[in-house]
Amino acid sequence: MKNRLSSNLLFGLATATLLSMPAFAQEAGAAVESKGPEVKFSGEVEFDVYTGDVLNDDKQSHEYASTFDLNVDVKFNEKWSASVQLEADGETTDPTAIYNGAFVQYTHNENAVVKFGDLTFSEGAFLNFYDYDDPADNAAGMAEHDIRGIEVDYRGIVFGLGFGRGGNDNQVCVEEDGEESCVGVAYDAHLAYELGLGESVLRPYVDYKSYQEAEHNELHAGLDANLKFGAFGLHAVYGLHADNLGEDTPNVTHAFLAEPSLELGIVNVKGTAFYAYFDEESPTVHGEEIPEYFFAYAEPSVSVLEFLTLGLPLEYHTNTVDVNEDVSTFDVGLRAYFTPVEGLEVTGFAKVEIPVGDDAGDTGLNLGLETVYSF
């Protein structure tokens, strides 16, 4: 009897083992597959259309802007990951897509991260004013500097070092004894520290760009502060911009930015006040980085529906970095923000531009429609 029971028990165990093998194999295969890299796609698309001045026949026109950003993030394991970006951007309906950088990242823990590859640094961006909010072009602290090198993030300290790339990989030329020689081996060193104080953050920074030529190195330094006090917020920036370190000219530019905001339920108010001090005779100017020496902007808005907000922008612009030019304007209009679903924003606006300066031209009316969606 015992032998029969033993035989039946062995037979049952064998049968159960055979029946479980396909499920076990499937689970094992899934485990093997899960060890491969995880790939995630994300990005943003923007397509805009603008009119010129519709009130004056000689200025009537239409303009476009289009942007496509695609990010591909690869996670190899809990420590190692990588990313690559493609970008198409231009004032046209068909900008050309180009490689925009790639890097590899090692995450030791939440307080220690190392990246190497194509990196970008910017400081003191305009956050509230819609027309200057792209740090690739404008910033009170420092517009984007692209490098190919290394970045170390450790407990709030950010350090980057590498050779300039893209628009940051430019040349300087000097003339000696009637002969011009150009230096094009630029490298960039960036250092910043993020100090968290409750909901507020202070970020001192310094960026040194060297052309490896004694008289043509540049420096950006300053403080970017994001302060939060309940419903009131303040973004404040001081930026120092200096070229040709060690020489008497050009002279340092000082930039000051204050961006208050107030959130009161369905009513919000945001604003921007910016001033840059340029030396009149020999200023430090970096392209469009600082778009004008002074402007002020305020926009109260109200959410009339869950998906629709109306804003009333009020703006004063000097429209120049030359304090001797008198081309200032006062702008007033209406902005409508339509957000039917998360990730989709449609903004329409009408803006009247009223001349204030003697050389500012005629009163104009500009219209525009901007559509942005992310995925």
Side-chain angles (χ1 to χ4, degrees), residues 170-176 179-184 211 213 215-216 244:
N170 46 6
Q171 291 185 333
V172 294
C173 297
V174 294
E175 185 173 335
E176 295 181 359
E179 294 185 3
E180 184 180 65
S181 61
C182 296
V183 181
Y211 295 94
E213 204 283 328
E215 300 175 358
H216 291 83
N244 291 30

Side-chain angles (χ1 to χ4, degrees), residues 11-94:
F11 178 76
L13 289 172
T15 302
T17 301
L18 290 172
L19 291 174
S20 66
M21 285 183 67
F24 174 78
Q26 184 175 2
E27 291 178 4
V32 171
E33 291 179 1
S34 67
K35 292 181 179 180
E38 299 177 15
V39 181
K40 182 178 71 173
F41 295 88
S42 63
E44 185 176 276
V45 176
E46 178 172 355
F47 49 93
D48 310 326
V49 61
Y50 308 99
T51 69
D53 181 359
V54 299
L55 298 182
N56 299 289
D57 292 339
D58 58 339
K59 295 183 179 179
Q60 290 181 359
S61 64
H62 60 270
E63 300 174 0
Y64 302 108
S66 307
T67 301
F68 169 63
D69 291 321
L70 177 63
N71 306 315
V72 183
D73 298 308
V74 181
K75 182 178 180 181
F76 301 102
N77 56 33
E78 295 301 318
K79 298 290 187 181
W80 290 93
S81 60
S83 180
V84 63
Q85 299 89 38
L86 299 177
E87 179 185 64
D89 184 32
E91 295 181 354
T92 175
T93 58
D94 55 351

Side-chain angles (χ1 to χ4, degrees), residues 299-315:
E299 183 178 342
S301 63
V302 57
S303 298
V304 296
L305 296 170
E306 184 180 354
F307 54 83
L308 180 63
T309 298
L310 299 180
L312 179 67
L314 306 168
E315 309 170 25

Side-chain angles (χ1 to χ4, degrees), residues 236-282:
V237 176
Y238 164 69
L240 178 149
H241 308 256
D243 285 354
N244 291 30
L245 298 179
E247 291 294 294
D248 294 333
T249 58
N251 291 314
V252 172
T253 293
H254 302 274
F256 304 89
L257 172 67
E259 296 190 296
S261 60
L262 182 64
E263 300 180 2
L264 299 172
I266 64 172
V267 177
N268 295 300
V269 182
K270 62 181 179 179
T272 300
F274 175 76
Y275 175 76
Y277 173 76
F278 290 93
D279 181 78
E280 292 187 25
E281 296 182 0
S282 181

Side-chain angles (χ1 to χ4, degrees), residues 97-109:
I98 59 173
Y99 169 86
N100 196 38
F103 64 85
V104 172
Q105 176 173 307
Y106 172 74
T107 304
H108 182 68
N109 55 46

Side-chain angles (χ1 to χ4, degrees), residues 330-361:
F330 176 75
D331 303 345
V332 60
L334 177 69
R335 290 175 65 84
Y337 304 89
F338 178 60
T339 54
V341 295
E342 184 178 357
L344 173 61
E345 300 177 2
V346 181
T347 303
F349 69 86
K351 185 169 70 173
V352 177
E353 188 175 273
I354 304 168
V356 177
D358 293 337
D359 302 321

